[in-house]
Amino acid sequence: MILWKTFLYSLQLPTKQSVFRLNRIPMDITVFYMFIMLFIVSIPSLIDRLTETSSIGSDMNIVFKLIYFFMFYYLPLTIMVFLLITLIAYMFTWIAKSMHRKLKLQIFWKMIAYSTTIPFILYTVIALIIPISDSYLLLSMVYTFVLLFKIITVYPRRKK
């Protein structure tokens, strides 16, 4: 139930109410939410791997294909996304500090994770229908950055 509410609140970003409700969600739920979202994003690639008939691994057993997929696609994808979220959150703490806002790395990490919901869902839907280019990544990064700037403005300024 909490994951469903988290999903609904993340769709409502950057409203003040959704930002503060998402901030109250524990970090372990946020990390689990990201694992689920990254699995959803990797579904089109998983389907491609399971249905391909002309590559080197096409004659492998389906169990080995699943193991291969999780070891060499899902795990590196998860590690890269988590590191990228941490890097972006660190950069935005400096931006928030220059804007005199009361924000910390943990809050940014959560907000970045939740602000990627719409781009991830859109990517999955589009990739299931047609092959999608890498330029979508740039558009989703711009969307996430704009959303983060709006989220920064929701938080109050530091008192002097």
Side-chain angles (χ1 to χ4, degrees), residues 63-142:
V63 175
F64 290 118
K65 283 185 180 182
L66 288 172
I67 292 170
Y68 178 83
F69 175 78
F70 281 105
M71 283 181 61
F72 297 109
Y73 184 81
Y74 181 74
L75 182 62
L77 173 71
T78 304
I79 291 169
M80 287 187 295
V81 168
F82 278 36
L83 288 174
L84 186 63
I85 288 175
T86 304
L87 179 69
I88 294 170
Y90 184 72
M91 289 182 342
F92 269 90
T93 55
W94 288 98
I95 293 170
K97 192 174 184 179
S98 69
M99 294 174 69
H100 305 292
R101 303 293 178 172
K102 297 179 181 180
L103 294 166
K104 295 183 179 182
L105 182 74
Q106 180 183 1
I107 295 171
F108 272 118
W109 205 99
K110 286 180 183 181
M111 291 305 125
I112 292 168
Y114 295 132
S115 66
T116 59
T117 300
I118 293 174
F120 282 175
I121 298 295
L122 280 176
Y123 173 82
T124 304
V125 170
I126 294 170
L128 285 172
I129 299 169
I130 58 170
I132 193 165
S133 70
D134 293 337
S135 61
Y136 177 80
L137 293 173
L138 181 63
L139 287 173
S140 62
M141 289 287 283
V142 169

Side-chain angles (χ1 to χ4, degrees), residues 23-41:
N23 188 29
R24 289 186 192 101
I25 293 176
M27 193 63 161
D28 58 339
I29 300 295
T30 305
V31 171
F32 187 68
Y33 179 81
M34 280 306 297
F35 280 126
I36 292 171
M37 290 305 296
L38 290 172
F39 179 75
I40 290 171
V41 165

Side-chain angles (χ1 to χ4, degrees), residues 142-160:
V142 169
Y143 170 81
T144 303
F145 287 168
V146 168
L147 208 58
L148 286 173
F149 278 113
K150 287 184 179 183
I151 288 171
I152 289 173
T153 61
V154 166
Y155 278 89
R157 291 185 178 270
R158 292 178 185 248
K159 293 181 182 178
K160 294 181 181 181

